[in-house]
Amino acid sequence: MKTFRSICNVLLIAVAITMSACSGDDDEEIGIGGDDFKYHHQLIIEVCDEDGATLLNPNLKGCLDLSKITASYDGITYKLPDSTDEMSRAYPLYIYGIRHNVVDDEYFISFGYLDKAKDYNRAKVVIDWGDGTSDTLELSISHDSNNNPIIKHWLNGEPNPNNVFKIVK
């Protein structure tokens, strides 16, 4: 019986350690889905109409035609996949290109992942909405003396405060 209690105690400690590793708030930078936490960077695009209603929810009337949306980066054009990804902490870390995502009924598009260890000088991602309009997202990454990334963003040539781009159509 003493051995059984010892095994149970060891299992309880292992479960407590495992659960504590999953806690914390690693996704402060963007508020949604993290930022592949330390090494990769993604761009988040939210699109709404002038009244603030999302244009990325395929279940709502007036939504953009998701099948026509593309993103061009570094000479490659990425087509938006047919499916919508439910984001979670278990989401794969290395997704390249453009994705349609939903978190808690909030719809957005993500583009990435871009390597934070590299330097980028106003790298451009052009989102073509498939309706004859497009938006240009730009990203610069440089590094300070401790090799920490310094990241700057622009939307259509204007400074953007972070990696969440809010576009009104």
Side-chain angles (χ1 to χ4, degrees), residues 1-13:
M1 189 67 155
K2 194 173 188 179
T3 304
F4 178 74
R5 282 187 195 161
S6 296
I7 292 172
C8 287
N9 286 336
V10 169
L11 287 174
L12 284 173
I13 291 170

Side-chain angles (χ1 to χ4, degrees), residues 138-152:
E138 293 177 87
L139 164 78
S140 286
I141 298 179
S142 58
H143 295 85
D144 65 17
S145 60
N146 293 322
N147 207 29
N148 295 313
I150 300 167
I151 304 172
K152 296 179 182 177

Side-chain angles (χ1 to χ4, degrees), residues 20-58:
S20 69
C22 294
S23 66
D25 192 8
D26 291 334
D27 48 5
E28 288 178 19
E29 183 175 336
I30 62 171
I32 306 171
D35 195 30
D36 187 340
F37 319 131
K38 294 182 182 176
Y39 306 107
H40 293 86
H41 189 70
Q42 68 178 329
L43 307 175
I44 304 296
I45 304 111
E46 298 174 350
V47 185
C48 62
D49 63 18
E50 291 181 5
D51 296 325
T54 183
L55 296 177
L56 295 175
N57 183 342

Side-chain angles (χ1 to χ4, degrees), residues 109-133:
I109 292 173
S110 60
F111 183 86
Y113 287 110
L114 301 165
D115 187 350
K116 284 185 185 177
K118 292 183 180 179
D119 285 336
Y120 297 88
N121 184 16
R122 291 192 80 150
K124 292 184 181 186
V125 177
V126 177
I127 306 294
D128 182 336
W129 300 109
D131 62 0
T133 65

